[in-house]
Amino acid sequence: MPELPDVEVFKRYLDATSLHQRIGRARVTSEKILGRISRRNLERRLRGRQLRSSRRHGKYLFVDLDRGGWLVLHFGMTGFLRYFKHEPNDLQHVRMQLDFANGYHLAYVCQRLLGLVDLADDPEAFIKGRELGIDALSPQLDLESFRRLLAGRRGTIKSALMNQHVLAGIGNIYSDEILFQARVYPKASPRRLGDRVIEDLFKQRRTALETAIRCRVDPERFPDSYLLPHRDTDERCPRCDANLKREKISGRTCHYCPRCQRRR
DNA sequence: ACATTGACCTGAGAGC
DNA sequence: TGCTCTCAGGTCAATG
């Protein structure tokens, strides 16, 4: 689930539900998701605090704690947040929970334990430490820098788009979507793409990510012209009706239209 | 230095 | 029913 658009939706959810309330208690229920910090330390550092604001960079969410420090959340393949008063019966795999003074709770849920919960002094330093690239929706990212980022890359355009050191936030689903919208063959070499194609990719990156956010990443709300609602259902291209192709590229299952996205 | 592969986890679904 | 196998939108360390 959690690529940039998903994490942006989580951010808005957290902002709408969980800011400016005192945390009565924090509970870590699986240590496997923790980064450098210990369970005891994290629970102690969260108790009595409030969440002031949040920031997203790529697939990471940073939450500002009053009296210092940032809670770092990454959602792996299966993570999400849930805010509730009474825990739903069907809610499994809660790995951390904040109990607010108002009687509500915020759960960090992560079935496959590939996510991360940590504490950082400063998001900028954290981003630097992980060597993350510029956020894929950053207003600072202009066409020229996008071109430069792709310029010297070997390998496929798909893996360049998914590389978090190049651009932060795009994963398997949205790299497929961007390539589909721009009609680019996923195994094309970034070095051989023409200026017009790079420009298309640059534009579609923004449009596709923003569209996904606007649709709250709900496949039912996506425009029918998008790949996402078709990739795991009818597997037909919404543009030309060809059967979509599935192929492992750089270790991930890629979906694309063999007719619209031809090798050039 | 860069790109690709396998390991890390758990659970759902397919096939037998 | 129950077993085994494969696969899943993440990253990182090890390998080529």
Side-chain angles (χ1 to χ4, degrees), chain A residues 80-84 86-94 97 107 109:
Chain A
F80 60 92
L81 298 172
R82 188 72 90 233
Y83 183 78
F84 52 82
H86 304 290
E87 179 164 338
N89 297 328
D90 56 351
L91 189 62
Q92 289 179 292
H93 316 299
V94 173
Q97 187 167 309
V109 185

